[in-house]
Amino acid sequence: MSRESIYKRYVPSFAPEGNEDSNVFWFVFNSDNLLIDLENNCKIPFIKDLKVLNILPIRTHYMGTFLGHACYSAEVAPETNAPESMAFMDLRHLYEILEEDLFLLAGRAIQIVNWDKNHSFCGKCGTSTEIMDNEMAKICPECGFISHTRIAPAVITAIINDEKLLMAKHSYGLKNMYGLIAGFIEAGETLEEGVQREIMEEVGLKVKDIKYFGSQPWPFPNSLMIGFTATYESGEIKVDGNEILDAKWFDVDEVPRTHSKMSIASDLINWYIDNYSNK
């Protein structure tokens, strides 16, 4: 998912500034489904206020500006119907449809919505929390505990051995599809240690030469994917039988190409193909 920085056109902020009488971008979610304007080439609603659509949000958050226009996230009740010529669509299915920066902002928006919903009360004393006006955080007026938006870092690794790529079949996701080894970082470990642990836990291998590849926001539900490359060091493949059902080494001609660029996994796989096709 190689791309230019979203901050070339998007300016994050916590409080509205400037002319709030003009149209704004509304990232409206019903559960995990985003409201899309079907008549306007499947665009994000660009209107002054949700009242125009007869929509009453449960919560809203100012997110900053995109192309100079304000952006808001919003959540509506499950029973809310989409207005005429609009539809609530699964965010995962919109990557090829939305402009990439808008897709990334939608990912930011849904994480803000879910964080706000899940942190309405203080995790220490149970008091209703309040939104802070100087950062994306909630504070408890009783004990002062502050909770920021929650991000769960995860690592994903392309493992090379004798010019072959390790790919595994997971117990979740599409059946018979092989992908890369990935997993969440645990408390007290570095990213590199997380790479080593996940690979040992899932396929029983030791790796070396761990190198950073890139990162990607992954709002399903609130992850940051950090990509690495690594070289096989020792061990025989032994899958855990829980998350991983099978794993094997693929020659470059055997590796399935992916047409979607939504996940950093496709960048890692394409990196392998590009670097080992002519060897």
Side-chain angles (χ1 to χ4, degrees):
M1 192 181 175
S2 300
R3 60 174 177 83
E4 292 186 342
S5 172
I6 193 174
Y7 294 119
K8 288 192 173 184
R9 301 198 293 172
Y10 168 64
V11 180
S13 183
F14 310 109
E17 297 178 2
N19 182 15
E20 286 299 299
D21 292 328
S22 62
N23 285 353
V24 303
F25 292 99
W26 283 97
F27 297 88
V28 183
F29 285 92
N30 186 329
S31 297
D32 294 332
N33 298 320
L34 177 65
L35 184 64
I36 296 296
D37 186 345
L38 299 176
E39 276 193 350
N40 192 21
N41 297 320
C42 293
K43 299 294 186 181
I44 299 297
F46 183 61
I47 54 178
K48 180 180 177 181
D49 196 289
L50 289 180
K51 293 179 182 178
V52 176
L53 303 178
N54 294 318
I55 288 179
L56 181 63
I58 298 172
R59 53 178 51 85
T60 63
H61 276 281
Y62 179 72
M63 297 169 53
T65 60
F66 178 68
L67 295 175
H69 297 282
C71 301
Y72 285 87
S73 66
E75 180 191 14
V76 296
E79 63 271 16
T80 302
N81 294 318
E84 185 177 355
S85 77
M86 294 188 176
F88 287 106
M89 300 179 64
D90 190 315
L91 183 58
R92 288 176 181 267
H93 299 154
L94 292 173
Y95 178 74
E96 302 291 345
I97 298 174
L98 290 177
E99 184 179 346
E100 186 170 65
D101 279 357
L102 288 174
F103 177 84
L104 292 167
L105 283 176
R108 175 178 172 86
I110 192 173
Q111 290 180 81
I112 291 172
V113 164
N114 288 331
W115 160 75
D116 185 17
K117 176 171 55 180
N118 296 331
H119 292 80
S120 297
F121 298 93
C122 177
K124 290 182 69 177
C125 70
T127 303
S128 294
T129 55
E130 299 175 352
I131 298 293
M132 299 183 68
D133 57 9
N134 61 342
E135 60 179 322
M136 189 62 71
K138 306 187 79 170
I139 188 170
C140 174
E142 183 67 26
C143 71
F145 180 71
I146 295 175
S147 60
H148 295 83
T149 49
R150 289 292 184 257
I151 300 297
V155 290
I156 182 168
T157 311
I159 307 164
I160 310 300
N161 178 26
D162 194 22
E163 300 185 2
K164 294 183 179 182
L165 176 68
L166 183 74
M167 300 189 76
K169 183 163 64 174
H170 296 75
S171 59
Y172 52 87
L174 297 176
K175 293 183 178 180
N176 300 320
M177 289 293 292
Y178 282 79
L180 303 180
I181 299 295
F184 290 104
I185 293 297
E186 295 186 354
E189 65 183 6
T190 66
L191 296 175
E192 292 80 4
E193 288 169 343
V195 168
Q196 293 173 319
R197 175 186 51 76
E198 281 291 337
I199 294 170
M200 175 56 69
E201 286 179 355
E202 296 191 352
V203 291
L205 301 179
K206 288 186 177 181
V207 295
K208 59 183 180 181
D209 302 328
I210 300 170
K211 297 178 181 178
Y212 173 75
F213 178 84
S215 65
Q216 171 200 10
W218 188 251
F220 307 110
N222 60 339
S223 297
L224 173 67
M225 297 296 295
I226 305 111
F228 288 89
T229 62
T231 303
Y232 165 84
E233 181 176 355
S234 64
E236 297 291 332
I237 294 176
K238 184 179 180 181
V239 300
D240 64 4
N242 182 24
E243 294 187 33
I244 305 299
L245 303 179
D246 186 35
K248 57 185 178 180
W249 299 103
F250 284 77
D251 286 317
V252 68
D253 295 332
E254 299 174 323
V255 172
R257 288 182 178 269
T258 175
H259 297 291
S260 173
K261 296 181 179 180
M262 184 171 71
S263 169
I264 194 172
S266 64
D267 286 342
L268 282 162
I269 293 171
N270 289 334
W271 166 86
Y272 165 72
I273 292 173
D274 291 342
N275 282 273
Y276 290 89
S277 289
N278 299 320
K279 292 190 177 183

